Amino acid sequence: QVFESIAAIAGGSFNLTGAGDPERIVGYRVSASLFPMLGVSPQLGRWFTPEEDQAGANRVVIMSHRLWQRRFGGDPNIVGKALTLNGRSVTVVGIMPADFRFYTQDELLWVPIAFSKEEQQNRSTHYLDVMARLKNPVKLPPRPAPPCVRPRRVGRGSGRPHGRGARRSRRNAARAGRR
């Protein structure tokens, strides 16, 4: 095993309602291992737990610093409060640091990926991104050396395999055969 940690990510968007005007927000479903693997801690609150990354138990959200500032005025008491995403009540468990950027986006939310039984069994859809952290130090097997390629001489000409020298070499070889 060469990986210390692996995380799955699926993009999407969420309808945020119940706190001001309804708004569509870019977001990601992520495995609970993502933020610890990236080595980033929330500014407020905590990461997702492995238990919250299970189907039916994923009623939590982490939001970006910018979304928290813009939409909730930087309210330090937001952690533990309920929001409505896509018609479901979720609890805010964390706020990411101001300098954290994910896929170049800075106004996001994250929810646990919590694969359903159908998603776990379906191997024909390709909607996930995967990130992994290599173990330190990683010992990879040695790669075989590339094969050595040597130019081949054609006839007695210039040694060039094609072009004018190759034609001359063939002509000279034909003449030598007539002698």
Side-chain angles (χ1 to χ4, degrees), residues 4 20 40 50 84 106 119 132 148 175:
E4 179 180 302
V40 61
T84 305
D106 59 0
E119 287 175 312
C148 182
R175 283 187 199 140

Side-chain angles (χ1 to χ4, degrees), residues 157-158 160-171:
S158 67
R160 289 182 275 180
H162 51 76
R164 267 188 7 217
R167 281 191 299 261
R168 222 174 302 148
S169 296
R170 286 190 295 269
R171 218 178 15 233

Side-chain angles (χ1 to χ4, degrees), residues 19-91:
D21 293 332
E23 185 176 0
R24 192 153 186 88
I25 308 282
V26 172
Y28 290 90
R29 294 172 55 210
V30 300
S31 51
S33 59
L34 177 69
F35 296 121
M37 182 186 73
L38 294 175
V40 61
S41 295
Q43 177 178 326
L44 292 175
R46 61 175 176 81
W47 295 315
F48 301 131
T49 65
E51 295 78 28
E52 291 165 338
D53 200 3
Q54 303 299 315
N58 58 335
R59 296 188 175 268
V60 291
V61 64
I62 294 175
M63 70 175 71
S64 68
H65 187 274
R66 185 170 176 189
L67 178 62
W68 172 57
Q69 290 291 317
R70 183 185 60 77
R71 181 78 187 219
F72 301 98
D75 177 8
N77 298 314
I78 192 77
V79 173
K81 290 192 176 172
L83 302 178
T84 305
L85 290 181
N86 295 344
R88 289 180 33 180
S89 179
V90 296
T91 302

Side-chain angles (χ1 to χ4, degrees), residues 123-136:
R123 304 280 192 234
S124 63
T125 58
H126 305 281
Y127 64 96
L128 289 176
D129 287 340
V130 176
M131 290 184 178
R133 179 176 295 278
L134 293 171
K135 284 184 180 179
N136 191 12

Side-chain angles (χ1 to χ4, degrees), residues 2 7 21 29 31 44-45 83 98 102 110 118 140 149-150 170:
V2 297
D21 293 332
R29 294 172 55 210
S31 51
L44 292 175
L83 302 178
F102 189 75
W110 297 270
E118 294 80 25
L140 297 176
V149 178
R150 293 190 179 137
R170 286 190 295 269

